[in-house]
């Protein structure tokens, strides 16, 4: 058989798996920062496959830049926020999160609800800017979209899908307490072996850790509930989502029960390394045998105290490796500073030995993808939990940002570079990420296309969505069975006593005659 | 880019997904009848991809025919059963199952345990024939297998894997009460929306149906437990299984919680239609516009009463369609009888209008695959439940074998052929089966190869496997928290009373001085 024939056959074979069908029209309700970067990866792929993608973008949007040339369409609507106000809200949220005290747990959750409320509130305001804009809604209705794709972390996608009467799909990393995944998605999270998100626990818990996990669950259930009420009240609509694309996979997450309409696509944004710029390549090559260390605290932290920066810089100055460092001022000769670094490509560079990271999920996934051991210095939100996961899986050492010394950082770096188990474990995670039946991005796009092709994915929808919590836990059934048993026993007892009474009465009557 | 290049690139791409790695050696612990047919589909594919497959076959084996030419190796061991005895056991089991009374539930389960016990016992005896055969065990150990692939319905696979110190994978349709899936696999089955297997309930249950489901659960938990103790005692070993390949999918099953180490591969044995024999083709074509009806009650029922056969034949004689009928004697001109029919190919024939089936899972999957509406006449075991699923999904009408009349069968046939909703629903299920990210057989083989490549799939293993039922349900944690609260409240009360007592005492003392 000639190669032409083979290629045609293979193309046919591939088309069975990936056939996009006719091009679809996707309406996107996005979120900002890393959430947008994540969403954009999927949208780029959809556009690549011939679909039309429109992103609802507020005039105050931060990272969703409609002026950058892109095949994605941006539907800009006037917002009641100015860009400055909107940025201010996010700055405050991040600042609050950074300064959230871990202990006492009660205070932690109390303050957390405030942050979540601020966030939810700001998204709701944007949502109102859209759904109350009659002209915009009419335009959207006339555009005949096939699907709403929304980040489930903030409300609105479900309202849009309802307004336009089209199917809905979610993309999600997680929400605190897994409230949305639990109540709107239907996922069970047994507290005996599934650590509560952000608890920093592993799936191998001691008895006291399981107690802690249960307390976390109570606190989150009670506290987060009271302030997540906007989303909870949308549960009815959110349950209509055909599928949930969760940005997680079993290299990062601990195995837990899932449902057929959840697809775990963690790491889908990762790509093989592309040759970096000449200047970066020269810097890397000049490191010789020792290789390089990549350092980044992410895009959301723009300044740190002089004292902290100095601690970091002086540790980095003591290693033979060269260092790529984003955002600090105190450097030695082996350290080079960049406002922005091509993090994924650097992590994929054969010279890279270690990654010092704040523990953002995207960065960790890039390190997993390229098999690079980590030193985690978590700052806020899910970062401590993310680093705890990598620590449990033996691919990271964890440090505390506010209290670590230069020696701590130096020792941690030496550990992950010289103790071979860290590299081994990082490579193990990398193999898990690479060795999947189908690439996560292809799976994500497959299911988006599936829902557009079939207008739904009802065969994956759990029937629990039609039950309230009382019914879900079979409390009504158990109550009924207990009541029935009680009635049965009481009736039996009564009958027995009546019979005995009648018998005794008869006897007495009998004896009175005797 | 030339086609040669494209084909090479595509080959590379495909190799990412399907790369079999180096050829592996698989040891198989099989079961008989349809279970073996299911297992063989996977084994054939493994052999096709260059793996070496050895099947442990007892000298009494029924359907595993080592004399048929096959690329699969059969390792025949002497059994303490004669072929005649072994066949007798299965005949008795089938006979018992057919005559199992549905009501009262108590008696149903009581008799069911007897059947399960007989089955389990017979497999255990075969297992002993293997593990106590020192020469055979030594030979198996020296063969350096990479994996044990076993049907989880009967014990032994886990023992073999332990003896040979190699990874274990299960293939499974289900076991009564989902005991094995629950306790050895870790799958949760919430009774509020997951109908107990063989209950014939759907996932959309009324309150009284949920009560019934709960009672089924209790009965199965209590009754099946007592007689499934052999398997339960193997739980510890069975939990070591790296993956479970479950012969079910969401076209057939109702959505329920799953775990990452479960892969649902239902329908993997189905294939596109191959042109049947000339004779069959002529028969089909001669049916003209009316098309044909396929009738089969499966391979396990070899005779029925004259009266029942006549009821069926006389109904079939009244339809304009031609009928392929396996196993009965009373026919009219339009009906043709075969000892064995190429069922899947006939169901895939464009002339086929309906399928009259006993509701075996394999037959139902073939009907789903080809989108053929069904008349279900279930006989025993999971067949009533299978037909109930198809009925709920709107692709089948159900009849009762012992009480149906010719008119009933005739009406049922007319309904599924003339009410377009049945064909529509069957086609909907067919689309679900065909439109998957990856074909089920490819997924099955992918994970078998994965486990052989990596020697394990530990990243998918739920931590619940290390907990006992008490810990799993967090009863110890809840007990501890309740006890702690009680101690706390009691201490507080005591302190308060002591303080009050002291205060009163002081007052009294004070007042005595006043």
């Amino acid at each position: 058989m000639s190669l032409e024939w083979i290629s045609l056959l293979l193309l046919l074979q591939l088309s069975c798996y990936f056939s996009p069908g006719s091009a679809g029209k996707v309406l996107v309700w996005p979120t900002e920062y890393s959430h947008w970067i994540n969403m954009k990866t999927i949208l780029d792929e959809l556009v690549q496959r011939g679909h039309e993608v429109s992103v609802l973008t507020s005039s105050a949007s931060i990272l969703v830049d409609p002026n950058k040339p892109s095949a994605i369409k941006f539907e800009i609507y006037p917002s009641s926020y100015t860009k400055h106000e909107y940025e201010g809200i996010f700055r405050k949220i991040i600042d609050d999160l950074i300064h959230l005290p871990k202990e006492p747990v009660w205070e932690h959750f109390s303050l957390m609800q405030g942050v979540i409320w601020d966030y939810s509130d700001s998204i709701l305001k944007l949502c109102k800017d859209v759904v109350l804009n009659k002209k915009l809604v009419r335009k959207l209705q006339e555009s005949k979209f096939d699907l709403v794709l929304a980040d489930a972390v903030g409300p609105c996608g479900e309202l849009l899908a309802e307004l336009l009467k089209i199917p809905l799909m979610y993309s999600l990393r997680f929400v605190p307490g897994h409230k949305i995944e639990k109540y709107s998605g239907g996922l069970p999270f047994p507290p005996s072996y599934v650590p509560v998100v952000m608890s920093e626990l592993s799936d191998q818990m001691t008895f006291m850790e399981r107690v802690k996990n249960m307390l976390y669950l109570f606190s989150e259930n009670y506290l987060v509930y009271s302030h997540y009420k906007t989303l909870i009240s949308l549960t009815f609509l959110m349950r209509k989502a055909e599928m949930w694309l969760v940005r997680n996979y079993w290299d990062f997450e601990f195995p837990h029960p899932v449902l057929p309409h959840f697809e775990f696509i963690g790491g889908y944004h990762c790509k093989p390394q592309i040759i970096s710029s000449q200047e970066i390549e020269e810097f890397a090559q000049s490191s010789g045998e020792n290789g390089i260390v990549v350092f980044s605290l992410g895009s959301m932290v723009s300044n740190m105290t002089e004292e902290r920066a100095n601690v970091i810089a002086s540790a980095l100055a003591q290693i033979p490796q060269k260092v790529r460092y984003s955002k600090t001022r105190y450097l030695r000769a082996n350290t080079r500073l960049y406002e922005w670094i091509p993090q994924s490509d650097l992590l994929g560079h054969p010279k890279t030995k270690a990654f010092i990271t704040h523990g953002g999920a995207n960065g960790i996934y890039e390190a997993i993808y390229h098999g690079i051991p980590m030193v985690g210095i978590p700052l806020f939100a899910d970062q401590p939990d993310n680093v705890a996961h990598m620590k449990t899986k033996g691919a990271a050492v964890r440090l505390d940002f506010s209290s670590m010394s230069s020696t701590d950082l130096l020792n941690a770096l030496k550990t992950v570079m010289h103790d071979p188990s860290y590299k081994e474990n990082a490579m193990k995670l990398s193999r898990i990420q690479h060795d999947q039946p189908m690439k996560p991005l292809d799976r994500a796009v497959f299911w988006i296309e599936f829902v557009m092709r079939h207008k739904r994915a009802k065969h994956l929808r759990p029937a629990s969505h039609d039950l309230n919590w009382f019914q879900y836990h079979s409390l009504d059934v158990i109550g009924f069975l207990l009541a029935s048993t009680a009635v049965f026993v009481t009736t039996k007892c009564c009958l027995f006593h009546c019979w005995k009474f009648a018998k005794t009465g008869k006897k007495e009557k009998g004896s009175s005659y005797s």
Side-chain angles (χ1 to χ4, degrees), chain A:
Chain A
M1 190 153 51
S2 75
L3 271 175
E4 276 87 351
W5 271 105
I6 295 176
S7 68
L8 274 173
L9 281 174
L10 287 173
L11 270 170
L12 276 172
Q13 173 123 14
L14 276 179
S15 71
C16 299
Y17 297 123
F18 306 124
S19 160
S22 56
K25 289 180 79 174
V26 182
L27 181 66
V28 181
W29 179 254
T31 8
E32 308 278 342
Y33 293 105
S34 58
H35 285 237
W36 164 244
I37 298 170
N38 283 317
M39 185 63 98
K40 197 174 169 291
T41 306
I42 297 178
L43 305 186
D44 284 339
E45 188 65 23
L46 284 173
V47 165
Q48 194 82 21
R49 299 193 192 201
H51 301 291
E52 202 184 305
V53 174
S54 302
V55 180
L56 273 170
T57 319
S58 90
S59 55
S61 173
I62 303 164
L63 278 186
V64 182
D65 183 357
N67 297 319
K68 258 192 189 168
S70 166
I72 299 169
K73 288 185 188 173
F74 292 91
E75 181 63 50
I76 301 165
Y77 59 90
S79 166
S80 38
Y81 287 119
T82 65
K83 202 159 185 149
H84 183 74
E85 279 172 348
Y86 194 54
E87 265 181 3
I89 290 169
F90 271 94
R91 255 201 313 274
K92 184 179 174 302
I93 288 173
I94 293 162
D95 206 56
D96 286 351
L97 282 173
I98 289 180
H99 297 104
L100 209 62
K102 262 220 79 60
E103 309 275 344
V105 172
W106 192 259
E107 204 183 321
H108 173 84
F109 282 108
S110 270
L111 291 169
M112 171 100 90
Q113 25 166 330
V115 178
I116 291 172
W117 193 237
D118 285 349
Y119 176 74
S120 219
D121 221 24
S122 69
I123 306 293
L124 252 190
K125 212 166 166 185
L126 291 183
C127 187
K128 279 181 190 158
D129 291 339
V130 171
V131 295
L132 300 180
N133 183 335
K134 281 185 184 170
K135 209 177 129 194
L136 177 62
V137 170
R138 201 164 41 244
K139 189 181 168 188
L140 294 177
Q141 279 167 338
E142 281 163 4
S143 298
K144 303 271 171 221
F145 287 102
D146 296 302
L147 177 80
V148 169
L149 180 61
D151 195 317
V153 80
C156 213
E158 49 292 333
L159 287 174
L160 286 168
E162 201 60 19
L163 264 173
L164 304 180
K165 296 186 180 33
I166 53 175
L168 166 70
M169 271 179 86
Y170 282 127
S171 163
L172 181 66
R173 167 82 177 95
F174 77 95
V175 297
H178 283 311
K179 304 299 291 185
I180 299 294
E181 296 94 310
K182 254 190 250 176
Y183 297 110
S184 302
L187 277 197
F189 290 90
S192 56
Y193 75 100
V194 186
V196 168
V197 73
M198 292 167 62
S199 66
E200 298 175 47
L201 293 165
S202 86
D203 61 344
Q204 303 286 339
M205 289 180 271
T206 62
F207 175 73
M208 283 318 290
E209 281 172 339
R210 286 194 291 117
V211 170
K212 193 180 161 190
N213 201 41
M214 186 66 91
L215 290 176
Y216 263 105
L217 189 73
F218 286 156
S219 313
E220 291 202 338
N221 267 345
Y222 176 72
L223 287 168
V224 182
Y225 179 78
S226 62
H227 268 221
Y228 237 109
K229 54 191 172 198
T230 323
L231 284 186
I232 299 292
S233 70
L234 288 173
T235 293
F236 165 69
L237 284 182
M238 294 186 80
R239 284 182 173 182
K240 292 190 178 180
E242 306 294 330
M243 296 270 306
W244 296 68
L245 305 173
V246 176
R247 303 194 291 271
N248 220 330
Y249 187 60
W250 314 113
D251 40 8
F252 191 125
E253 189 53 284
F254 304 116
H256 63 71
V258 302
L259 279 165
H261 67 318
F262 275 73
E263 194 68 25
F264 290 78
I265 57 165
Y268 69 93
H269 69 286
C270 300
K271 288 188 179 119
Q273 189 226 3
I274 301 165
I275 293 150
S276 329
S277 74
Q278 185 65 22
E279 188 258 333
I280 286 179
E281 192 56 34
E282 271 167 21
F283 179 76
Q285 290 305 335
S286 72
S287 68
E289 277 297 290
N290 293 314
I292 60 172
V293 169
V294 180
F295 182 110
S296 168
L297 292 187
S299 59
M300 288 170 98
V301 177
S302 46
N303 44 35
M304 58 173 98
T305 63
E306 212 168 296
E307 187 268 334
R308 285 292 92 195
N310 215 4
V311 159
I312 293 168
S314 96
L316 298 182
Q318 293 172 56
I319 54 168
Q321 283 76 18
K322 297 232 166 179
V323 184
R324 314 224 144 259
Y325 192 157
S326 89
K327 293 176 188 163
T328 187
R329 279 164 291 166
Y330 298 82
L331 321 160
R332 298 294 182 276
N334 69 335
T335 308
R336 200 164 301 177
L337 175 74
Y338 297 88
E339 255 310 293
W340 180 85
I341 53 174
Q343 185 172 285
S344 174
D345 290 340
L346 274 173
L347 289 172
H349 198 286
K351 290 271 180 198
T352 300
K353 301 285 177 199
F355 180 35
I356 307 174
T357 173
H358 62 302
N362 286 349
I364 287 192
Y365 254 118
E366 286 158 12
I368 287 176
Y369 186 87
H370 295 296
I372 302 297
M374 289 159 261
V375 173
I377 314 176
L379 300 172
F380 66 93
D382 58 336
Q383 296 165 7
D385 206 43
N386 297 343
V387 173
H389 279 225
M390 287 304 105
K391 195 180 157 190
T392 304
K393 287 168 191 262
V397 165
R398 187 207 158 128
L399 292 176
D400 183 69
F401 180 70
S402 53
S403 66
M404 70 172 182
S405 67
S406 283
T407 322
D408 293 336
L409 180 54
L410 187 63
N411 287 341
L413 252 181
K414 281 182 179 167
T415 305
V416 299
M417 287 194 291
H418 300 149
D419 177 344
S421 75
Y422 287 90
K423 179 68 186 175
E424 244 163 58
N425 290 325
M427 285 306 296
K428 208 181 278 173
L429 298 183
S430 179
R431 282 193 292 273
I432 292 169
Q433 172 63 223
H434 286 274
D435 203 357
Q436 297 184 49
M438 195 168 163
K439 287 181 183 169
L441 185 57
D442 287 332
R443 281 191 282 124
V445 172
F446 174 88
W447 285 114
I448 291 172
E449 290 180 345
F450 182 98
V451 171
M452 291 200 286
R453 260 198 299 278
H454 301 274
K455 314 280 172 231
R456 66 175 79 93
K458 282 286 168 286
H459 68 293
L460 303 176
R461 185 178 189 268
S464 60
H465 279 358
D466 302 321
L467 304 175
N468 59 39
W469 69 271
F470 206 77
Q471 295 168 320
Y472 176 80
H473 293 290
S474 293
L475 298 182
D476 53 348
V477 170
I478 292 167
F480 173 80
L481 289 175
L482 288 178
S484 305
T485 314
V487 168
F488 178 78
V489 171
T490 315
T491 315
K492 278 277 170 191
C493 282
C494 281
L495 285 175
F496 177 73
H497 281 289
C498 286
W499 170 79
K500 210 159 182 194
F501 180 76
K503 210 174 158 190
T504 322
K506 220 172 172 183
K507 224 178 196 171
E508 273 170 8
K509 220 175 171 182
S511 63
S512 72
Y513 279 106
S514 65

